[in-house]
Amino acid sequence: MITLRHSAIMLLMLLTSAANAKDQVPYATQVNDLMRYQRVTPKIATSGALSNDSIKELVKHSFRTVIDLRPEPDETQKEKLAVEAENMLYINIPVTREGIDESQLTAFKQAIAQASPPILVHCATGNKAGAMWTSYRLSEGTPPNIAFKEGRASGMNLGFEEKVKQKWCTGQVTC
């Protein structure tokens, strides 16, 4: 009787963890074909550019949403079609070399709040994805040392880091 009960409990735990894992992003060691892939939360990851192989990798890991920060209309349109063909939601928030402004950050916050996880946030190299993640985390009250560490791990370079500091590290937030 005890063995049967323990077996039933173990099976239930296994099924529950599998169901929960489906909504979570994999760790970098579990993913192939994604440039600068970084798991930033259990439901959100960042990366650089996507290829057809990387889109297939997203499907394999049950991603549901792709947030593309690239501003190039030709490339983003091709990706939109490829992502939507795999039944994933595609959102484009164009970020230029000028940095991240209020409207882009607001659009990003709305996308994160409304999107179905797992979510991938990406750009061409990971630089803008890391900068957006840093800006988002700062806006949510994350201490700057943690927000910038996460952004660097996601691919943000020193140039974009300075732009984030100039824009978001004023007033109540000091970096």
Side-chain angles (χ1 to χ4, degrees):
M1 174 107 169
I2 292 176
T3 306
L4 183 59
R5 180 184 294 168
H6 286 308
S7 296
I9 291 170
M10 292 299 288
L11 179 61
L12 183 61
M13 288 173 55
L14 181 62
L15 292 173
T16 302
S17 66
N20 289 339
K22 189 174 182 180
D23 287 344
Q24 295 192 6
V25 299
Y27 291 96
T29 56
Q30 299 170 301
V31 176
N32 299 311
D33 298 318
L34 283 161
M35 175 200 306
R36 290 192 175 162
Y37 179 87
Q38 178 73 22
R39 183 183 202 239
V40 293
T41 76
K43 297 189 183 267
I44 302 171
T46 61
S47 80
L50 298 183
S51 65
N52 287 336
D53 288 340
S54 19
I55 292 172
K56 299 281 187 228
E57 188 74 6
L58 295 177
V59 171
K60 175 181 158 187
H61 291 286
S62 302
F63 276 82
R64 293 189 188 126
T65 304
V66 173
I67 300 174
D68 183 357
L69 303 177
R70 297 173 306 153
E72 302 84 14
D74 290 342
E75 294 301 314
T76 58
Q77 186 58 31
K78 289 176 193 172
E79 183 173 300
K80 177 182 184 346
L81 294 173
V83 166
E84 289 178 346
E86 297 293 348
N87 296 313
M88 290 183 282
L89 174 63
Y90 175 87
I91 300 167
N92 180 240
I93 303 169
V95 175
T96 66
R97 294 180 187 166
E98 302 304 312
I100 297 160
D101 63 28
E102 290 279 349
S103 65
Q104 293 161 326
L105 182 58
T106 298
F108 183 76
K109 286 180 170 187
Q110 290 172 344
I112 292 293
Q114 296 171 357
S116 296
I119 301 167
L120 179 77
V121 179
H122 88 93
C123 61
T125 64
N127 185 21
K128 293 173 186 173
M132 181 63 83
W133 185 251
T134 302
S135 302
Y136 171 73
R137 296 285 282 155
L138 289 170
S139 76
E140 297 290 302
T142 302
N145 61 324
I146 294 171
F148 281 96
K149 182 178 180 180
E150 291 175 359
R152 285 184 217 107
S154 296
M156 178 176 62
N157 68 25
L158 290 175
F160 242 98
E161 182 172 333
E162 282 304 311
K163 290 175 184 177
V164 170
K165 285 179 180 176
Q166 288 171 4
K167 178 69 177 175
W168 303 107
C169 294
T170 59
Q172 295 178 1
V173 179
T174 55
C175 302

